[in-house]
Structures are given as C-alpha cells and as structure tokens.
C-alpha cells in the first residue's frame, strides 16, 4: 500500500517535469526591439519559426494577445516567447524574459 503510493507520486513527478521541459523547448528565442503598448504591438527580432512558415530569422511586429503582457518586457530584453496565427494576425501568445 505504502510502496504503491510512492510509485504513483514518483511517476507524477516525472510526468510533470517532462511536460515542463517540452513547454520550455517549444518557446522561441528573441529580443524585443520595440514595445507599442497603445497599439498592443511588439517588435521582436527572432530566429526561425517553422510552424509559422518563417524559415529564417527576422525582425517583425506581432500583435500581443493580451496587452498586459507588454508591461512585463521592454526594448532590449532578451525573451522566450510563443506566437500563433490568430485570424491572420501573427500574435504573441506568451512571453517571458530570458535569464
Ligand atoms: Cu517573423
């Protein structure tokens, strides 16, 4: 009984850390070059994003999914982010500062 519970807990921990690792590796490296809070837009210099058809890096403007996320970053910050095509608009769905 006790042994079984320990095993379940160990498996849950492994599954959790793998999910975190996957989420981490899915993020795109970039550097913020401009934040336009009033327009809800952010300019990011980024590497290839194959899922969005960008095979080479570039500097481009994204819409922010949530305008609040633009308060957490500023021009010059190195970031990890994710982006998606939302109704034809390239949109940053998550962004965090890189350490
Ligand atoms: Cu791009």
């Amino acid at each position: 009984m006790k042994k079984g519970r320990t095993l379940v807990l160990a498996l849950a921990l492994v599954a959790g850390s793998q999910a975190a690792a996957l989420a981490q590796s899915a993020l795109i490296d970039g550097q913020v070059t401009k934040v336009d809070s009033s327009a809800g837009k952010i300019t990011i210099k980024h590497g290839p994003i194959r899922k969005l058809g960008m095979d080479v890096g570039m500097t481009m403007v994204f819409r922010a999914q949530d305008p609040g996320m633009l308060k957490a970053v500023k021009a010059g910050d190195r970031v990890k982010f994710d982006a998606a095509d939302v109704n034809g608009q390239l949109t940053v769905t998550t962004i965090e500062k890189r350490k």
Side-chain angles (χ1 to χ4, degrees):
M1 178 66 180
K2 195 179 175 200
K3 197 174 176 187
R5 193 182 295 167
T6 305
L7 180 62
V8 168
L9 181 61
L11 287 175
L13 284 173
V14 169
S17 61
Q18 281 180 337
L22 275 177
Q24 192 72 26
S25 67
L27 293 178
I28 306 149
D29 284 339
Q31 183 169 25
V32 177
T33 61
K34 188 182 168 191
V35 175
D36 187 343
S37 298
S38 56
K41 301 209 159 156
I42 181 166
T43 309
I44 304 175
K45 182 178 169 192
H46 68 79
I49 311 177
R50 299 223 155 71
K51 67 176 179 178
L52 294 176
M54 300 176 204
D55 291 336
V56 294
M58 68 189 81
T59 300
M60 62 180 286
V61 179
F62 292 89
R63 194 177 69 90
Q65 184 171 59
D66 168 12
M69 65 172 52
L70 298 182
K71 291 181 186 140
V73 294
K74 61 183 189 308
D77 282 350
R78 284 150 49 86
V79 294
K80 280 191 174 290
F81 70 103
D82 198 11
D85 185 332
V86 179
N87 300 324
Q89 281 196 298
L90 291 166
T91 302
V92 172
T93 53
T94 181
I95 190 165
E96 64 188 47
K97 265 197 230 189
R98 243 188 300 166
K99 286 121 204 155

